[in-house]
Amino acid sequence: MTIDELRAKAAERQQTCSQIKKMIVSRLDLEIEPDWITDDQPLFGRGLELDSLDVLELYVAIEAEFGVALYDSEMAVFGSVSRLADEVNPALRAQG
Amino acid sequence: MVNVLAATHPEGTVYGEVGDVTVPLRFSAAPDALSQEYAALRERAAVLDLSGHRLIEITGPGAVEYAQRVLARDVEYLTSDRCMMSLVLDDAGQVVDQVLAFGREDGILLASSCGAGTRLLEHLRAQADDGIEIADRSPELVLVGLEGPYAWGVVGRLIDGELASLPFESVVETTWDDVDIVFARTGFTGEYGYQMIVPREAAAGLWSLSLEHARPAGQEALELAMLEVRQPMPRHEATPGATVIEIGANWLVDVTKEAFVGREAVLAAFESGTGRRTIGFTCADGVPAAGTRVMAGDQVIGEVVHAVHSVGLGTTLGLARVDRDLAAAGLRLSAGGVGVTTLTSPYIVPKSWSIPII
């Protein structure tokens, strides 16, 4: 891949991550700018300190926003924003 | 600084210097020591010698106000039944240390990161004002940890099974063998984790009894497990000049807090939207040294921050700091002439995420 192609691939993931961050901040009414959340920080317990009620809220929000149902997924899909991005936009999993 | 638990460590323990302390890197010189200790952390339960984490007590009428100023997270309502991790920054927003802050009735108790106690203590004293006292409690107190998917079972055997299911970052004062200890549910590896603040004279006894139920894991296994869940490690990641934003440790800073040392610098770095960002990577060949240039084609886009062989992945795992527009998982880049692939965190999913405490 050329550097421009790599940038385009990175931008696609960053765009999905950005969309997820805005959704989290909006749905959970957090008092931070969405970009303050990093793509790789933990979300539950450590990190963003979300709890099980927040997970339920995010299940609903993700289905509404991305049309993806994660209800039966393992907790690992909530490991980080970037990991969630892999779930809601499977095209991102292809290596570049 | 001499390791206070050394007399209880097995013969053949391999020690190393981390900052200002001597710590057990591995508890055996056997070739498979790291993988065995790592397996204890990720598959069963490991006991951790955290005596290299300096315990610093801040007391006095101005203690909470002072802690609010020097810690990057909000500790105004950190009661004695809670603890939290926070960065400590200097005026330029550079990371001084990452601490675990315990709320106390008469102030706050900070556990430094491993080997960073002297630097942290100097910084805290330089920031001190009237109305507070800062005391190094490490001559009297020792931190011991338990982590692993079945660490909760060890807590039950050692102290009290009910403590195992405390909410994350809860703290209780309890007793072990008629000795007062502070018990916290917290950790570094994403597994079930617990830490105990123990009087120095009782630490060896607790350590030895823990070994009847759990295997000791040294600093190398602990740091590997931390890396795998993207738990920040200042001693590897806080390179000179790197901002909190570039390190990716935003979650250890609370920007909604109105004032703390380093806030303006961190906000300026965030709002500028420039600089590099940290991303995990793996590669099939070798372990690139920190500082190795990361390339996209023939262009330098960053450098390796820290890399090791990951027992869990069976290959190299590292962190690189690259140009912001290329800091994303799933890209094939190169470092030191070897192909690397950027990763999504966590790089290993902790077993504890799928095992209930029973």
Side-chain angles (χ1 to χ4, degrees):
Chain A
M1 271 191 174
T2 66
I3 193 163
D4 286 337
E5 288 170 330
L6 288 167
R7 284 197 182 104
K9 188 166 175 55
E12 186 185 357
R13 177 175 291 273
Q14 289 170 343
Q15 169 63 32
T16 303
C17 287
S18 179
Q19 202 178 344
I20 292 169
K21 293 172 192 175
K22 286 175 185 162
M23 178 197 74
I24 292 173
V25 167
S26 165
R27 284 290 185 136
L28 304 181
D29 211 14
L30 304 180
E31 293 179 1
I32 52 173
E33 289 190 40
D35 281 347
W36 186 256
I37 304 170
T38 66
D39 294 354
D40 282 332
Q41 76 178 57
L43 297 180
F44 291 90
R46 305 174 306 138
L48 205 54
E49 300 187 338
L50 305 185
D51 60 24
S52 52
L53 288 178
D54 296 326
V55 177
L56 291 175
E57 182 70 27
L58 289 183
Y59 279 141
V60 175
I62 288 165
E63 187 167 28
E65 181 137 357
F66 297 97
V68 175
L70 296 176
Y71 299 99
D72 294 329
S73 303
E74 294 178 350
M75 280 300 290
V77 302
F78 291 101
S80 65
V81 168
S82 190
R83 181 62 74 94
L84 261 180
D86 284 332
E87 299 298 321
V88 303
N89 185 359
L92 296 176
R93 292 181 194 167
Q95 291 187 348
Chain B
M1 189 181 290
V2 175
N3 184 280
V4 300
L5 291 170
T8 62
H9 293 159
E11 198 174 324
T13 295
V14 178
Y15 291 94
E17 304 299 315
V18 172
D20 58 13
V21 295
T22 302
V23 297
L25 301 178
R26 300 179 298 281
F27 285 94
S28 160
D32 66 346
L34 173 61
S35 58
Q36 293 290 333
E37 292 174 17
Y38 172 85
L41 263 175
R42 284 277 181 242
E43 301 290 332
R44 298 182 293 279
V47 55
L48 305 168
D49 175 352
L50 302 178
S51 62
H53 297 238
R54 190 83 63 94
L55 294 166
I56 300 169
E57 192 170 55
I58 300 161
T59 54
V64 173
E65 188 180 340
Y66 167 80
Q68 270 293 74
R69 185 162 60 79
V70 297
L71 295 179
R73 290 189 68 201
D74 194 339
V75 292
E76 185 175 5
Y77 302 107
L78 188 69
T79 50
S80 58
D81 58 355
R82 303 289 303 163
C83 64
M84 69 161 63
M85 282 186 192
S86 173
L87 290 182
V88 176
L89 305 173
D90 65 15
D91 288 321
Q94 298 286 290
V95 175
V96 175
D97 197 14
Q98 174 184 307
V99 299
L100 183 60
F102 294 81
R104 308 299 294 153
E105 290 292 341
D106 53 354
I108 197 162
L109 182 70
L110 304 181
S112 77
S113 62
C114 184
T118 302
R119 174 182 157 89
L120 175 63
L121 200 50
E122 285 173 1
H123 172 81
L124 293 175
R125 285 181 170 148
Q127 293 284 339
D129 40 27
D130 292 342
I132 65 144
E133 288 181 22
I134 299 173
D136 180 358
R137 297 297 308 280
S138 286
E140 305 114 59
L141 300 172
V142 176
L143 196 62
V144 175
L146 285 167
E147 296 209 25
Y150 296 101
W152 49 270
V154 180
V155 170
R157 292 188 187 100
L158 280 180
I159 306 171
D160 178 351
E162 291 196 7
L163 296 180
S165 55
L166 284 173
F168 187 64
E169 296 192 327
S170 291
V171 178
V172 295
E173 293 183 18
T174 185
T175 57
W176 170 80
D177 197 24
D178 294 328
V179 175
D180 291 333
I181 66 169
V182 176
F183 180 93
R185 179 165 172 200
T186 182
F188 300 119
T189 67
E191 305 291 355
Y192 292 120
Y194 308 91
Q195 293 184 13
M196 293 156 284
I197 301 173
V198 187
R200 188 166 176 149
E201 59 275 14
L206 179 63
W207 174 266
S208 298
L209 191 61
S210 300
L211 293 184
E212 294 180 13
H213 309 287
R215 186 182 188 120
Q219 190 69 17
E220 289 182 352
L222 175 60
E223 288 194 353
L224 169 56
M226 291 168 71
L227 173 63
E228 289 173 344
V229 295
R230 198 60 187 93
Q231 173 72 31
M233 290 181 286
R235 82 183 189 99
H236 295 300
E237 298 180 52
T239 52
T243 67
V244 167
I245 310 301
E246 289 176 310
I247 293 168
N250 308 27
W251 61 278
L252 292 167
V253 174
D254 185 351
V255 280
T256 65
K257 192 165 83 168
E258 285 184 4
F260 58 87
V261 175
R263 182 176 188 272
E264 287 69 28
V266 171
L267 276 180
F270 176 66
E271 286 162 3
S272 78
T274 58
R276 289 176 167 169
R277 299 291 182 270
T278 303
I279 186 81
F281 70 87
T282 186
C283 63
D285 269 340
V287 177
T292 301
R293 290 189 302 180
V294 176
M295 315 282 290
D298 58 0
Q299 290 192 41
V300 177
I301 62 161
E303 63 180 36
V304 172
V305 176
H306 174 58
V308 295
H309 175 78
S310 163
V311 176
L313 292 178
T315 186
T316 300
L317 175 63
L319 298 174
R321 203 157 286 148
V322 302
D323 293 344
R324 186 184 179 187
D325 59 356
L326 287 161
L331 304 185
R332 285 195 177 142
L333 308 170
S334 69
V338 173
V340 305
T341 302
T342 55
L343 300 173
T344 288
S345 86
Y347 315 119
I348 290 282
V349 176
K351 193 171 180 176
S352 299
W353 291 10
S354 55
I355 291 183
I357 295 173
I358 54 175

